[in-house]
Amino acid sequence: MIAGAATGDDSGTGGMRATTGAPTITAFRRQAHRMRLTRAALAVAATALTPALLLANPAFAAHAGPSSTTATSATGTAGSATPAGDLSEDDLRIAILRILADEDSGTRVTREANEALDGTVEDMRTFLETGYRLAQAEDDSVAVARILADPDSGRRVTQEVNDLLDHGTPEDLRTFLETGYRLAQAEDDSVAVARILADPHISSALRAAAEDVIDGTPEELRYFLEYGRYEVDA
């Protein structure tokens, strides 16, 4: 809930009242300090107030547009095209709080984000410029290694994961987890469905279902292998 739409409820955010016009960063800090919000609550508040806060700040208003909390290059910060070197202490803190509020932030990212918040302005700036990207890469490496350790991972998935762990950049790891894994899994799933069709002993109903799904989407292939093929002959 952003400016002009806040309620008088005294729970959760400590009773932040409705205001006229966009909330200012100074008001946000004063309210947070006065009510002694926990860091978790601050993260939620920062996420809710960020659009209005950023538009109220000239450095961000010039770059207003869709944003996402993903690892970025050293020239920009999470969710903004504004370089970290151009951000005020308030903006740096809000950017890090948004990262903490992201449910996809991993163990290393969360730990380093908290350490940056406890540090100096330069610590926060350094985290957003370089530390976030590297911490995200470490969390992504753990996620990729778990995929490799999964006995159900197929040949194409295994091959791509091994290539990533040997030669991949932080950006390669992120791209694989966001899109590449889905496509590699779909290729392995297509092979698995083809093997089902190659079995002369399957039922007519299962054969028809497999023929229908073999050219389907990655999600349809996955569903068929996990559930659909068992439902056909149930």
Side-chain angles (χ1 to χ4, degrees):
M1 185 176 295
I2 60 175
T7 69
D9 185 9
D10 289 336
S11 64
T13 56
M16 293 182 70
R17 302 291 181 178
T19 59
T20 57
T24 64
I25 290 175
T26 301
F28 175 76
R29 293 187 69 196
R30 186 184 302 119
Q31 190 79 357
H33 177 72
R34 182 168 65 251
M35 294 181 294
R36 299 181 181 277
L37 294 175
T38 63
R39 180 162 293 168
L42 273 173
V44 174
T47 301
L49 291 175
T50 290
L53 289 169
L54 298 188
L55 290 175
N57 186 326
F60 278 94
H63 299 281
S67 63
S68 60
T69 309
T70 56
T72 61
S73 67
T75 59
T77 63
S80 172
T82 304
D86 295 339
L87 300 182
S88 68
E89 179 179 353
D90 297 286
D91 297 330
L92 292 169
R93 195 170 299 278
I94 289 171
I96 295 174
L97 287 170
R98 291 181 67 202
I99 292 170
L100 283 173
D102 184 355
E103 61 182 14
D104 292 329
S105 289
T107 301
R108 182 61 182 270
V109 167
T110 300
R111 181 170 72 244
E112 294 205 6
N114 276 305
E115 289 176 356
L117 284 176
D118 290 334
T120 65
V121 172
E122 286 309 309
D123 290 334
M124 291 191 290
R125 203 180 307 279
T126 298
F127 171 74
L128 290 173
E129 288 179 337
T130 58
Y132 178 33
R133 172 178 177 268
L134 298 177
Q136 182 69 69
E138 183 168 321
D139 285 335
D140 288 347
S141 294
V142 171
V144 168
R146 285 174 178 162
I147 292 171
L148 186 62
D150 185 348
D152 292 329
S153 290
R155 179 176 298 179
R156 180 58 184 272
V157 168
T158 300
Q159 177 186 341
E160 292 203 11
V161 167
N162 280 317
D163 288 344
L164 277 172
L165 293 177
D166 289 339
H167 310 293
T169 65
E171 289 73 26
D172 292 335
L173 290 167
R174 184 101 296 267
T175 298
F176 174 77
L177 290 172
E178 290 179 347
T179 59
Y181 178 37
R182 171 178 175 269
L183 298 178
Q185 182 70 68
E187 185 170 322
D188 285 334
D189 288 348
S190 293
V191 172
V193 173
R195 286 175 178 162
I196 291 173
L197 286 171
D199 183 353
H201 303 295
I202 63 174
S203 68
S204 299
L206 180 56
R207 182 174 300 280
E211 288 173 345
D212 285 341
V213 81
I214 195 165
D215 293 322
T217 66
E219 290 73 26
E220 289 170 342
L221 287 165
R222 185 101 295 266
Y223 181 86
F224 174 77
L225 290 172
E226 290 185 345
Y227 307 106
R229 63 173 167 171
Y230 304 111
E231 295 170 349
V232 170
D233 290 329

